[in-house]
Every structure is written in structure tokens, then in C-alpha cells.
Amino acid sequence: MSMGTIAFQGVPGAYSHLACRSAFPDMTPLPCETFEAAIEAVRDDRAALAMLACENSLAGRVPDIHALLPDSGLSIVGEHFERIEHCLLAVPGARLGGIRRVHSHAVALGQVRRLLREHNMTPVVEADTAGSAALVAQWGRSEDAAIASSLAAELYGLDILLRNVEDAAHNTTRFYIAAREPRLPPPDTAGLMTTFVFRVRNVPAALYKALGGFATNGINMTKLESYMVGGQFTATQFLCDVEGHPEHPDLRRALEELAFFSREIRILGVYPAARFRLAQNMAE
């Protein structure tokens, strides 16, 4: 069962579910209540992969993943970018002019302010987007609608009154794809990403000195996030994405310099860059 299954956090119809269908259409999606449960499904061999949201172009990082992934025992084996296309969903027969309340996750509601304002709709915060669609279908009221994916409309028998109602057209979520074992590509493979975590020594300018090797060796750093660990203000861990393979000479030298100023470095994964990322790089 596990070889054909991919776990995700959320209920059926969530954007993570949609990401699973987009990236792995032949795999069976396994909904999990929490990120911890999705990670545990892979560790317990109930799923081969986990689709884990890590950041959104509007809402920023997903804090749970930064805290959970480094100690999960899983390896990042890929990345996926999913365009978030919010739809206004209602029960069959409902009309746009009759919608009074719109239910969804707080982040999603914050991304459709123009729709709410123009149609004088009252936002109602729910636990998640797909769950909101399920509630609207359960209530059967024509004055209630949900902001969710087109997949949620399909699964819960709702009509799509409006598509692409998000305020920003670039709304995109990035996902890490995690597995039990690493899948290390050869060092000379083009278009690779490396994700790692590190902690710098608690001395002045430690981060500045630690990152200097990436500049001098021409390594493109695409992500750097900091967060506290162990409840200590002095214990800061950084999660970093860079282009390249850690065994490639340039990145190897940069990591060696980083190690000189750091207490700990752990590689979380080496994986092919998504086509979405490569297309953006070419456009620049």
C-alpha cells in the first residue's frame, strides 16, 4: 500500500490534496489531520511520500514544517509549486447575489478581500478551506458559500460561482516532498537544490561570517529562515535552501566555511528543482 500512497495535511479537497494530484496523479492521497500525522504516516510505512506545505508567496512560511522536518527523520526528495486558485463555492441553485456569508480559513479570507468588499459578504473563519466547503454542503443553505479549491467543489457536490477570486494572481504555495530515505542525485546533475539546517555560534557577526562562503563561492541562496529551538532566545536555528549539490566543489567549500562558524549542520535533502522554479529562473 505505502508505495502508491502520498500523505498530506488536511481534509479531502485541500490545496495539499490538489498538489498531490498535480504532482503524483497515479498515487493515492492519504489525508492526515496534522503535519505530524503526515510525517508519521511515512515513518510508519503507511505512505511512501509526504506532501508538506512549507511556504506561500502571500502568507509566508509554514512554521510547523520548519520545526518538525529537521527532527522528523525524513529526507526531502523533491519540491512542488501549486498555484492557489480560490473559488467561491455554494450549493447547487445558489446565486451570487444571494450569498451573505463566506466561510474559509483565515489566510484564504485575507486573500479575497476585494470579493468580500464588492459583494458585501461577511467573512466567517473556519478551520480550513476544504472543511469549509464540506460545511456549506452539509448546511445546504443558499446564503452561505465557501472559499476553497475546484477539487473541493468536485468532492462535496458544490457549484463554482466564481473562479480565481484571489486578490493576487501570483498566489502560490511551495511544498517539500519527503520520503524515508534520501535520493541523492550525482553531484554533476544540473538544476539541483540542497536544503539544510544549521546553528551559528553565539558570537558577534557569526551569521555574517558563516554566510560569507556562499557569496565568495558564487552559491545562490534562495531561502533563509530563522527560528528559536528549545525555548531559548540564544538558540537560533536556520533553515536554508541553496542551488547545487553539497559534493560539488563550490557548494562543498561554502559548507566547509559555514561549518567553521556553526555548531551544527544537517543536510535535509538534495533534490531536483521543480520545473516552476527553473521556468522562473529562465524568465529572469
Side-chain angles (χ1 to χ4, degrees), residues 144-159:
D144 286 280
I147 296 294
S149 67
S150 56
L151 177 57
E154 173 188 330
L155 294 178
Y156 298 111
L158 298 176
D159 285 348

Side-chain angles (χ1 to χ4, degrees), residues 22-40:
S22 299
F24 300 97
D26 296 329
M27 296 187 75
T28 301
L30 174 65
C32 299
E33 186 174 347
T34 63
F35 286 113
E36 293 97 322
I39 290 171
E40 195 66 30

Side-chain angles (χ1 to χ4, degrees), residues 1-8 20 24 26-32 41-42 45-51 178 180:
M1 172 186 173
S2 69
M3 293 305 296
T5 302
I6 180 168
F8 69 93
C20 292
F24 300 97
D26 296 329
M27 296 187 75
T28 301
L30 174 65
C32 299
V42 177
D45 201 25
R46 288 179 289 116
L49 301 172
M51 182 73 72
R180 283 182 296 279

Side-chain angles (χ1 to χ4, degrees), residues 269-282:
V270 183
Y271 50 93
R275 284 179 294 177
F276 179 91
R277 180 190 297 279
L278 297 175
Q280 283 199 326
N281 290 345
M282 291 180 61

